[in-house]
PDB file of all heavy atoms in Angstrom:
ATOM      1  N   CYS A  33       1.486   4.698 -10.376  1.00 95.00           N
ATOM      2  CA  CYS A  33       0.485   3.865  -9.732  1.00 95.00           C
ATOM      3  C   CYS A  33       1.058   3.444  -8.379  1.00 95.00           C
ATOM      4  O   CYS A  33       2.242   3.096  -8.297  1.00 95.00           O
ATOM      5  CB  CYS A  33       0.217   2.606 -10.554  1.00 95.00           C
ATOM      6  SG  CYS A  33      -0.124   2.898 -12.287  1.00 95.00           S
ATOM      7  N   MET A  34       0.232   3.453  -7.339  1.00 96.00           N
ATOM      8  CA  MET A  34       0.719   3.146  -5.999  1.00 96.00           C
ATOM      9  C   MET A  34      -0.128   2.053  -5.361  1.00 96.00           C
ATOM     10  O   MET A  34      -1.341   1.961  -5.613  1.00 96.00           O
ATOM     11  CB  MET A  34       0.657   4.393  -5.106  1.00 96.00           C
ATOM     12  CG  MET A  34       1.435   5.595  -5.623  1.00 96.00           C
ATOM     13  SD  MET A  34       3.212   5.313  -5.697  1.00 96.00           S
ATOM     14  CE  MET A  34       3.604   5.085  -3.963  1.00 96.00           C
ATOM     15  N   GLY A  35       0.525   1.264  -4.523  1.00 97.00           N
ATOM     16  CA  GLY A  35      -0.210   0.193  -3.869  1.00 97.00           C
ATOM     17  C   GLY A  35       0.364  -0.159  -2.514  1.00 97.00           C
ATOM     18  O   GLY A  35       1.520   0.166  -2.204  1.00 97.00           O
ATOM     19  N   TRP A  36      -0.459  -0.808  -1.706  1.00 98.00           N
ATOM     20  CA  TRP A  36      -0.044  -1.369  -0.423  1.00 98.00           C
ATOM     21  C   TRP A  36      -0.215  -2.880  -0.475  1.00 98.00           C
ATOM     22  O   TRP A  36      -1.264  -3.367  -0.911  1.00 98.00           O
ATOM     23  CB  TRP A  36      -0.891  -0.820   0.728  1.00 98.00           C
ATOM     24  CG  TRP A  36      -0.567   0.575   1.128  1.00 98.00           C
ATOM     25  CD1 TRP A  36      -1.250   1.714   0.781  1.00 98.00           C
ATOM     26  CD2 TRP A  36       0.498   1.011   1.967  1.00 98.00           C
ATOM     27  NE1 TRP A  36      -0.666   2.812   1.341  1.00 98.00           N
ATOM     28  CE2 TRP A  36       0.414   2.405   2.092  1.00 98.00           C
ATOM     29  CE3 TRP A  36       1.523   0.338   2.638  1.00 98.00           C
ATOM     30  CZ2 TRP A  36       1.318   3.158   2.846  1.00 98.00           C
ATOM     31  CZ3 TRP A  36       2.424   1.080   3.394  1.00 98.00           C
ATOM     32  CH2 TRP A  36       2.321   2.469   3.491  1.00 98.00           C
ATOM     33  N   PHE A  37       0.805  -3.582  -0.021  1.00 98.00           N
ATOM     34  CA  PHE A  37       0.782  -5.035   0.036  1.00 98.00           C
ATOM     35  C   PHE A  37       1.147  -5.465   1.458  1.00 98.00           C
ATOM     36  O   PHE A  37       1.703  -4.688   2.232  1.00 98.00           O
ATOM     37  CB  PHE A  37       1.788  -5.624  -0.964  1.00 98.00           C
ATOM     38  CG  PHE A  37       1.367  -5.459  -2.393  1.00 98.00           C
ATOM     39  CD1 PHE A  37       1.439  -4.231  -3.027  1.00 98.00           C
ATOM     40  CD2 PHE A  37       0.881  -6.546  -3.111  1.00 98.00           C
ATOM     41  CE1 PHE A  37       1.029  -4.076  -4.338  1.00 98.00           C
ATOM     42  CE2 PHE A  37       0.474  -6.404  -4.434  1.00 98.00           C
ATOM     43  CZ  PHE A  37       0.553  -5.162  -5.040  1.00 98.00           C
ATOM     44  N   ARG A  38       0.842  -6.704   1.774  1.00 98.00           N
ATOM     45  CA  ARG A  38       1.234  -7.229   3.074  1.00 98.00           C
ATOM     46  C   ARG A  38       1.623  -8.691   2.944  1.00 98.00           C
ATOM     47  O   ARG A  38       1.186  -9.385   2.041  1.00 98.00           O
ATOM     48  CB  ARG A  38       0.116  -7.068   4.102  1.00 98.00           C
ATOM     49  CG  ARG A  38      -1.116  -7.920   3.847  1.00 98.00           C
ATOM     50  CD  ARG A  38      -2.219  -7.571   4.854  1.00 98.00           C
ATOM     51  NE  ARG A  38      -3.419  -8.360   4.649  1.00 98.00           N
ATOM     52  CZ  ARG A  38      -4.558  -8.153   5.297  1.00 98.00           C
ATOM     53  NH1 ARG A  38      -4.654  -7.171   6.195  1.00 98.00           N
ATOM     54  NH2 ARG A  38      -5.607  -8.922   5.062  1.00 98.00           N
ATOM     55  N   GLN A  39       2.466  -9.109   3.875  1.00 98.00           N
ATOM     56  CA  GLN A  39       2.891 -10.502   3.899  1.00 98.00           C
ATOM     57  C   GLN A  39       3.029 -10.946   5.342  1.00 98.00           C
ATOM     58  O   GLN A  39       3.811 -10.381   6.103  1.00 98.00           O
ATOM     59  CB  GLN A  39       4.212 -10.693   3.153  1.00 98.00           C
ATOM     60  CG  GLN A  39       4.614 -12.147   3.016  1.00 98.00           C
ATOM     61  CD  GLN A  39       5.755 -12.333   2.031  1.00 98.00           C
ATOM     62  OE1 GLN A  39       6.477 -11.398   1.704  1.00 98.00           O
ATOM     63  NE2 GLN A  39       5.891 -13.545   1.517  1.00 98.00           N
ATOM     64  N   ALA A  40       2.263 -11.957   5.690  1.00 96.00           N
ATOM     65  CA  ALA A  40       2.337 -12.558   7.014  1.00 96.00           C
ATOM     66  C   ALA A  40       3.306 -13.733   6.973  1.00 96.00           C
ATOM     67  O   ALA A  40       3.514 -14.323   5.898  1.00 96.00           O
ATOM     68  CB  ALA A  40       0.957 -13.007   7.463  1.00 96.00           C
ATOM     69  N   PRO A  41       3.892 -14.098   8.098  1.00 92.00           N
ATOM     70  CA  PRO A  41       4.817 -15.245   8.113  1.00 92.00           C
ATOM     71  C   PRO A  41       4.153 -16.493   7.562  1.00 92.00           C
ATOM     72  O   PRO A  41       3.034 -16.836   7.947  1.00 92.00           O
ATOM     73  CB  PRO A  41       5.148 -15.393   9.600  1.00 92.00           C
ATOM     74  CG  PRO A  41       4.951 -14.040  10.169  1.00 92.00           C
ATOM     75  CD  PRO A  41       3.795 -13.457   9.406  1.00 92.00           C
ATOM     76  N   GLY A  42       4.834 -17.151   6.644  1.00 94.00           N
ATOM     77  CA  GLY A  42       4.318 -18.382   6.066  1.00 94.00           C
ATOM     78  C   GLY A  42       3.256 -18.188   5.010  1.00 94.00           C
ATOM     79  O   GLY A  42       2.690 -19.165   4.512  1.00 94.00           O
TER      80      GLY A  42
END
Side-chain angles (χ1 to χ4, degrees):
C33 310
M34 302 295 296
W36 285 100
F37 289 74
R38 68 186 180 187
Q39 187 168 19

